[in-house]
Amino acid sequence: MLMLALRTLRSRWTAFIGSFVALALGVGLIAVMGLALASSLDAPERAPERFAAAPVVVKGQDTLHVPTPIGDRTQRLAQPRPVPAGTVAALRKLGRVTEDRTFVVRGDLVGHPWSTAAFAPYELTAGRAPRAADEVVATGDRTAVGQRLRTGRGVVRVVGTASAVGARGFENALFYTDARAAALSPVSTQLVVEADAATVRRAVGDRARVLTGDERRLADADPGRDAEALTTLNALFGTAGGVSGFVSVFVVASTFAFAVAQRRREFGLLRTAGATPGQIRRTVLTEALLVGGPASAVGCALGAYAAPWLAERVVDGGLAPAWFAIGDHVWPYHLAFWTGLSVALCGAVAASWRAGRTAPAQALREAAVDERALTRGRLLCGAALLITAAVTVTLTLLTDPGDLLHRKTYVSRPMLLITATALLSPALVRPLTRILIPCGVLVRSNAGAAVRRTAAVAAPVLITVALTGSLLGATATLNAARATEARERTVADFVLTSPAGFAPDTLRRLRALPGTEVSATASSAVYVLEEGVALIKSEARAADPGALAATVRLPLSAGRVTDLDDDSIIVNEEWARHEVGRRVTVWLGDGTRRSLRIAAVMPVGTGDNGVYVTPANARGAAVDRVEVKGGSAAALRRALGATDVSVLTRDEWLRTAYPTGTLTDADEKTRLGFLLVLGIALLYSGISLANTLLMATSDRRREFASLRLAGATTGQVLRLVAAEALVVVAVGALLGLLVTTLDLTGIRGALHLQSARSPIRLPWPELAATTGACALLAVISAVLPAAHALHRKTSLP
């Protein structure tokens, strides 16, 4: 068997080169994603930044701990608690105490008191320290001494610049005088104590947290950003790896199956010569091992080369932190190698099973025309997958429709439909070719007779179109549903936003404008213990009930907005307890435990229907959005004065906050994430399409020679090949569109059950571009080898 397999590989190397390329690329794709995922599991230990030179840092409680029967449950507080005043007084007796105040100035620009600059330590590189309320020292090289900056805290003048000693710039900051910082941020949640750490711990007790050594990094801004970055990277590479793995396994199996199916005439001759079915299967298995082993090894080498390049791209695109790099991991190579080899063996053996079972005469007869392309095993597997997809969607719609709206779900769910459709595609090829080609007998006959070839070439197009339509269509449909919710909910004429928050005097000026209704809301959070064991965080907005009712039309399923008061809360139907009038025990954003009455209930919607409380139940939350009904933009800007508050009309704010497009309107990180998930998989599918067409066209030399003998010119033959390629692409595109429509119908049903309205949004521009690219690639990949074959002399049997 080994010698026969080696001779077959040597004599039919052109037929096996396609399988080799497909497998090497597939293994390389799996290796790249495995290496990226493995490297995102661990982050380097981050050293303290702002307080690297501080002896002891005391931080107020910023974590909520709730005891349960199975242990404490924790959540990060939306509004960390300040260090108690009594504790601060006790610490002042031990040594010098410097209170830290950090607040948003504008965008990613933060403010600090100048007294804390020495703990980084920062050193002046130009100018002097601030002395007046409108003077600041700036970090970085984006500002210069003497420059005036317009911020959400007013206009300030840069009197000095500073940089951190021995460290790269880790923040964009403005340092104010201590008095001005205290006025802008009255609450201090952490402080530096210049005293012995043990003495400080005894004075603090359990009323706050004492940080020394490497733990001082927990006092830096967003200390959990590395953990959040890891979570984001894991989700990104996990999703991309799942999609890429599915595409590569799907394409490799299809390519190997087609390569074996092309050799039915050869199998028929072997059976006529006395070969047993077992000998044929062992021969094919040996060939798959001889091709799969080296191809998998080459794929691992490609993965080792491409993984660092991918890491650089995601860092440059802002999808990963600067420290991210590919580590020294071995298991991704094992995963990729053995997966590729297993897929090659399974694809080859499954395809050769039927050839080994058929009688010699039957094998020779079926070598010319595909009479039974859809075998019983393929039909059963395809039907089982199709039924599984239908049953799982139905059960999810009946039990938890919101699960269909999660990204992991709508990314992975189309794969069942794609595989089922691909398995059943031979039964659909002939009907589709008749629909697509009502005339053109020769093209229709060729595509309909060679069902296996048509299905194999259409498979990459199917997966390309289906993935593009399902992923981008799901995003567009969900975005449209969110935009519809926001449009129906927002009745204000203007929406004002400021990441730095609104100062009290700014709010007073806005409320004093005649003929306006002003609703100021703050972002906070509420925590509830579900079923006694799960501590759930819900995003909350704090608002005055009367002003909220005038500027927002909340989608209520029960209760009234005006019933909201300091003793009540508005929840949504996702809460385990959501009956109007019932009391629920919650923890507010600062960790305060309260028992509140449910004043109203909202439907779940797309997930943006959170929780509403009054400002009394969101102490410490800064107003970050103001909705205004009535008035004019000019009057609002005059009232705002020299601040950088964004003033948008209702329609402008909706377009900005709730884009309804797919990739064109998405932010840069979202766009890069989609390109990573889709781009790699679709590029591989395109290469596989060209590869499969090259294999299929190169095997038709005798057919082309017969057409030439029958009187067809070279141009006619090439036009015939191009037309067949376009028909195959159209078949794959229609099947992909079918999968997309079925998948988006499930999402549309979930939205309807969640009381959210949105039509199915098919990404027509992206689908047209994808199909057009496949068509161009298919024509080139079919015509070039056909032209080469026509220039070679081929003997007819």
Side-chain angles (χ1 to χ4, degrees):
M1 291 299 107
L2 178 61
M3 295 305 299
L4 179 60
L6 287 172
R7 291 188 181 125
T8 303
L9 290 177
R10 185 174 59 187
S11 61
R12 296 179 58 90
W13 66 269
T14 54
F16 288 101
I17 193 66
S19 301
F20 184 95
V21 171
L23 183 57
L25 291 175
V27 170
L29 199 57
I30 296 174
V32 167
M33 291 305 164
L35 287 168
L37 184 61
S39 301
S40 68
L41 296 177
D42 299 306
E45 190 71 21
R46 184 180 292 275
E49 294 172 335
R50 281 197 62 219
F51 298 98
V56 180
V57 178
V58 178
K59 186 177 179 64
Q61 294 293 343
D62 61 353
T63 304
L64 174 64
H65 296 269
V66 177
T68 71
I70 58 174
D72 284 0
R73 291 292 176 263
T74 62
Q75 284 280 3
R76 188 109 176 152
L77 290 175
Q79 282 85 44
R81 299 173 183 173
V83 180
T87 304
V88 176
L91 291 173
R92 292 190 188 278
K93 298 177 181 179
L94 302 179
R96 182 183 174 186
V97 173
T98 304
E99 292 184 295
D100 177 46
R101 305 172 193 276
T102 299
F103 47 91
V104 177
V105 174
R106 183 186 66 194
D108 64 343
L109 193 62
V110 296
H112 305 302
W114 174 246
S115 60
T116 63
F119 300 120
Y122 276 104
E123 286 187 352
L124 284 170
T125 56
R128 58 173 175 82
R131 298 171 187 163
D134 64 342
E135 294 180 348
V136 296
V137 170
T139 65
D141 55 1
R142 298 192 300 180
T143 55
V145 175
Q147 184 177 350
R148 288 189 173 273
L149 301 176
R150 182 178 179 180
T151 72
R153 309 287 180 167
V155 178
V156 296
R157 183 166 57 93
V158 178
V159 297
T161 58
S163 63
V165 178
R168 295 183 302 170
F170 53 84
E171 63 176 353
N172 294 317
L174 296 181
F175 286 95
Y176 293 74
T177 63
D178 287 15
R180 180 57 176 165
L184 294 175
S185 179
V187 178
S188 172
T189 60
Q190 57 192 23
L191 46 86
V192 177
V193 184
E194 298 180 40
D196 178 68
T199 306
V200 171
R201 284 193 174 90
R202 286 195 296 269
V204 170
D206 60 356
R207 295 181 295 277
R209 190 172 183 181
V210 178
L211 307 176
T212 59
D214 288 342
E215 281 192 337
R216 291 170 298 176
R217 71 181 183 277
L218 300 177
D220 292 332
D222 193 14
R225 62 186 180 275
D226 284 348
E228 294 172 1
L230 286 179
T231 301
T232 302
L233 285 177
N234 287 338
L236 176 64
F237 290 131
T239 302
V243 173
S244 302
F246 166 75
V247 172
S248 57
V249 168
F250 180 92
V251 170
V252 167
S254 176
T255 304
F256 264 82
F258 178 60
V260 174
Q262 281 185 304
R263 301 169 58 196
R264 284 168 294 155
R265 182 185 298 274
E266 178 182 327
F267 293 148
L269 291 173
L270 289 173
R271 294 284 286 120
T272 304
T276 65
Q279 289 175 321
I280 290 180
R281 295 186 190 114
R282 286 193 295 274
T283 300
V284 173
L285 183 63
T286 304
E287 293 169 355
L289 280 172
L290 294 175
V291 173
S296 297
V298 170
C300 290
L302 290 175
Y305 175 80
W309 178 86
L310 176 64
E312 293 177 3
R313 299 288 79 75
V314 296
V315 170
D316 293 341
L319 293 173
W323 50 258
F324 178 71
I326 300 299
D328 186 15
H329 302 279
V330 177
W331 68 261
Y333 294 109
H334 283 285
L335 175 66
F337 182 88
W338 296 113
T339 299
L341 189 58
S342 300
V343 170
L345 294 177
C346 292
V349 171
S352 65
W353 187 262
R354 182 174 176 235
R357 291 183 58 188
T358 53
Q362 184 181 359
L364 288 173
R365 184 174 65 250
E366 291 186 357
V369 179
D370 295 330
E371 295 180 356
R372 294 181 56 194
L374 185 61
T375 61
R376 181 178 300 176
R378 187 165 182 161
L379 175 62
L380 291 176
C381 290
L385 288 176
L386 192 61
I387 293 172
T388 301
V391 170
T392 54
V393 169
T394 303
L395 289 176
T396 306
L397 289 174
L398 294 176
T399 57
D400 184 15
D403 183 61
L404 290 178
L405 309 182
H406 297 160
R407 178 170 297 183
K408 287 184 179 180
T409 303
Y410 68 69
V411 167
S412 59
R413 192 169 292 277
M415 298 177 187
L416 271 178
L417 284 174
I418 292 173
T419 308
T421 306
L423 288 173
L424 299 176
S425 60
L428 304 173
V429 166
R430 288 191 178 100
L432 286 176
T433 53
R434 293 191 188 101
I435 295 173
L436 291 170
I437 318 173
C439 55
V441 177
L442 188 56
V443 175
R444 184 174 62 189
S445 300
N446 281 347
V451 174
R452 285 192 181 91
R453 184 181 70 211
T454 303
V457 177
V461 182
L462 161 64
I463 194 171
T464 301
V465 173
L467 280 178
T468 301
S470 297
L471 269 62
L472 299 186
T475 303
T477 301
L478 292 175
N479 286 345
R482 294 188 181 100
T484 300
E485 281 184 336
R487 188 176 298 107
E488 294 176 346
R489 186 168 56 233
T490 305
V491 296
D493 299 312
F494 299 95
V495 178
L496 285 57
T497 58
S498 173
F502 290 79
D505 57 340
T506 303
L507 294 175
R508 283 193 295 270
R509 291 196 301 269
L510 289 172
R511 291 190 175 105
L513 291 174
T516 61
E517 190 73 44
V518 177
S519 174
T521 62
S523 177
S524 185
V526 169
Y527 310 88
V528 63
L529 194 63
E530 298 280 5
E531 299 179 356
V533 293
L535 186 61
I536 306 299
K537 177 183 177 181
S538 295
E539 300 297 329
R541 293 208 71 84
D544 175 77
L548 182 67
T551 58
V552 176
R553 188 183 295 113
L554 292 183
L556 298 180
S557 56
R560 296 180 301 179
V561 174
T562 52
D563 289 342
L564 178 66
D565 56 27
D566 293 345
D567 189 48
S568 62
I569 184 173
I570 296 177
V571 302
N572 59 60
E573 292 176 347
E574 197 171 14
W575 281 43
R577 298 180 180 180
H578 55 265
E579 296 83 15
V580 172
R582 188 169 185 174
R583 301 194 76 85
V584 290
T585 299
V586 300
W587 287 263
L588 303 179
D590 61 356
T592 303
R593 180 171 175 168
R594 288 290 310 273
S595 175
L596 299 177
R597 174 181 53 84
I598 297 178
V601 179
M602 296 180 291
V604 176
T606 59
D608 287 342
N609 294 334
V611 170
Y612 284 86
V613 295
T614 60
N617 290 320
R619 301 187 187 278
V623 173
D624 57 359
R625 189 168 78 206
V626 175
E627 296 174 67
V628 181
K629 191 172 183 181
S632 65
L636 291 173
R637 291 190 174 94
R638 284 195 299 270
L640 292 170
T643 62
D644 63 347
V645 175
S646 174
V647 180
L648 299 175
T649 65
R650 171 181 177 271
D651 292 338
E652 290 172 341
W653 180 74
L654 288 172
R655 285 195 298 268
T656 302
Y658 296 93
T660 56
T662 51
L663 290 183
T664 55
D665 294 331
D667 59 67
E668 188 63 23
K669 288 187 178 181
T670 302
R671 186 181 297 111
L672 288 173
F674 269 117
L675 291 177
L676 176 64
V677 174
L678 274 177
I680 297 176
L682 300 187
L683 177 63
Y684 178 58
S685 295
I687 294 174
S688 173
L689 171 64
N691 183 35
T692 307
L693 268 170
L694 286 170
M695 293 170 59
T697 307
S698 300
D699 200 47
R700 301 175 63 187
R701 292 174 182 169
R702 290 186 176 87
E703 179 183 338
F704 297 153
S706 298
L707 289 173
R708 290 299 306 276
L709 290 175
T713 64
T714 300
Q716 288 175 325
V717 174
L718 294 180
R719 286 194 294 272
L720 171 66
V721 171
E724 289 178 3
L726 290 176
V727 169
V728 173
V729 170
V731 169
L734 284 178
L735 293 176
L737 187 61
L738 174 64
V739 170
T740 297
T741 304
L742 292 175
D743 182 61
L744 296 184
T745 300
I747 293 178
R748 175 67 185 86
L751 288 171
H752 177 73
L753 293 174
Q754 298 282 85
S755 301
R757 297 187 300 106
S758 173
I760 291 177
R761 295 293 185 95
L762 288 170
W764 291 115
E766 289 82 359
L767 287 173
T770 301
T771 305
C774 288
L776 178 62
L777 188 61
V779 170
I780 294 174
S781 302
V783 169
L784 289 181
H788 177 70
L790 288 170
H791 284 86
R792 294 182 59 184
K793 292 183 179 181
T794 304
S795 59
L796 295 175

